[in-house]
Amino acid sequence: MKTLTYIFTILFLSVSFVSCSDDDDNTPVEVNPVEGLAMLYKVEAADHTVQFYSEKQNLEVGYNEIYIRIKDLAGNTYVSDAAPSWMPMMHMETMEHSAPHTSLNNTEESSVYKGHIVFQMPSNETEYWDLTLNYTLKGEAKQEVLRVTVAQPADGLKKTSVFTGSDDVRYILAYVNPKEPKVAVNDMQAVLYKMENMMSFPVVENYTITVDPRMPGMGNHGSPNNEDLVYMPSSKLYNGKLSLTMTGYWKINLKLLNANGEVLKGEDVTEANPESSLYFELEF
Ligand SMILES: [Cu+2]
């Protein structure tokens, strides 16, 4: 009888062991959906918090991807039906204006909302940016206004250009990718907006941005196999190829052409003209 109990115990243990390991195989590994991102701001409300994340350590002049989560403190859960919308606003001494920005959309992880803002200028002691966030929580409309700090990029390199084209339209062009350039033909992306007025910055579609990277410190040599940036309706980004043949400082000379192929800004690089008036800078 004792032996029988022993055998049953063994059987029971092995069965529970098998079912345990079975469970392990089927239980999804819990992935932190904001892993690798920095929480830049956290707004504390009575029954919930709003968290702002970015890949960078602070908001910068130029293209910023921003992730937002809203935590319901009662249930200790993140809300996926908050339908947030936002409006960035700069309060200058003599006027106010907004900045190019997308809508906020649910990501693969439905409780994480994502969008981007292109800040055209940094904040300073007397002029500041704020973000107005509207969303719903348990059917109730909410609003938070968050004052944010926008700094110049720490590396001091130019990745954003605000200019008037030969068509007298004010444009904002910002570098997106490659975030980590390599000695290779890199996928390059940029965003292009026009300034309709102080508050409205529509995406510019179907223009072309030519790409001519040069190393001014090395006889202004260029690189082969670059591809002009063209508009992708699916992502609303401009996509092309950036060829970098060695590490160091590169000036990426650009020209902006409208849908008719007319040059709105920028010049060809020649012996007499070593750089375009429209460019990004890169160092890696
Ligand atoms: Cu070189």
Side-chain angles (χ1 to χ4, degrees):
M1 187 63 199
K2 211 166 190 182
T3 317
L4 207 57
T5 310
Y6 180 67
I7 288 170
F8 271 122
T9 307
I10 293 288
L11 268 175
F12 176 75
L13 280 176
S14 44
V15 164
S16 34
F17 178 74
V18 166
S19 57
C20 256
S21 61
D22 218 20
D23 263 6
D24 283 351
D25 286 343
N26 293 329
T27 308
V29 180
E30 205 162 307
V31 179
N32 178 1
V34 290
E35 181 153 19
L37 302 175
M39 182 156 63
L40 301 187
Y41 298 99
K42 183 173 167 184
V43 177
E44 311 254 8
D47 57 352
H48 66 282
T49 63
V50 184
Q51 305 168 1
F52 294 78
Y53 295 85
S54 166
E55 286 172 359
K56 303 179 201 167
Q57 296 303 310
N58 50 271
L59 299 178
E60 290 182 348
V61 170
Y63 175 87
N64 294 261
E65 279 176 6
I66 298 170
Y67 302 78
I68 290 174
R69 288 208 295 183
I70 297 163
K71 187 178 189 175
D72 177 3
L73 294 178
N76 204 27
T77 52
Y78 290 96
V79 181
S80 45
D81 60 352
S85 64
W86 58 0
M87 179 58 79
M89 186 72 87
M90 172 135 220
H91 303 269
M92 301 182 70
E93 289 192 65
T94 54
M95 61 162 170
E96 294 186 334
H97 65 82
S98 185
H101 61 281
T102 60
S103 55
L104 279 165
N105 295 305
N106 297 80
T107 60
E108 244 169 66
E109 170 59 53
S110 59
S111 64
V112 178
Y113 309 92
K114 185 186 175 187
H116 73 248
I117 301 177
V118 179
F119 294 107
Q120 315 93 308
M121 53 190 295
S123 41
N124 59 48
E125 276 169 31
T126 52
E127 300 172 313
Y128 65 94
W129 286 95
D130 63 28
L131 278 179
T132 299
L133 189 73
N134 287 290
Y135 54 100
T136 57
L137 195 63
K138 293 169 185 158
E140 223 177 286
K142 303 275 183 190
Q143 183 176 84
E144 297 289 346
V145 181
L146 173 68
R147 193 184 279 216
V148 298
T149 300
V150 177
Q152 288 288 9
D155 61 13
L157 299 177
K158 189 179 170 92
K159 295 249 171 39
T160 311
S161 196
V162 182
F163 59 92
T164 304
S166 57
D167 55 358
D168 280 332
V169 173
R170 197 104 175 113
Y171 292 99
I172 296 144
L173 176 67
Y175 178 97
V176 177
N177 279 311
K179 289 188 179 97
E180 288 172 18
K182 293 188 168 59
V183 175
V185 177
N186 297 264
D187 287 324
M188 184 177 176
Q189 292 180 311
V191 287
L192 179 65
Y193 290 92
K194 72 176 173 188
M195 184 175 181
E196 208 165 55
N197 56 51
M198 292 295 196
M199 292 302 293
S200 173
F201 300 82
V203 171
V204 178
E205 301 178 0
N206 303 324
Y207 283 21
T208 302
I209 303 154
T210 66
V211 178
D212 184 1
R214 300 280 178 149
M215 291 193 94
M218 299 184 71
N220 218 29
H221 75 75
S223 62
N225 305 321
N226 293 284
E227 283 177 25
D228 296 346
L229 305 177
V230 294
Y231 183 70
M232 294 287 148
S234 52
S235 61
K236 297 183 176 170
L237 299 169
Y238 281 78
N239 282 22
K241 300 284 184 192
L242 174 66
S243 167
L244 302 168
T245 50
M246 54 186 293
T247 56
Y249 172 81
W250 289 84
K251 181 168 269 186
I252 306 164
N253 296 281
L254 309 167
K255 283 191 304 176
L256 177 65
L257 280 63
N258 66 14
N260 299 325
E262 295 156 344
V263 178
L264 302 180
K265 177 73 176 175
E267 303 79 25
D268 285 324
V269 177
T270 60
E271 285 283 312
N273 182 56
E275 59 180 52
S276 173
S277 58
L278 185 64
Y279 63 90
F280 294 139
E281 291 175 304
L282 210 62
E283 190 158 24
F284 73 109

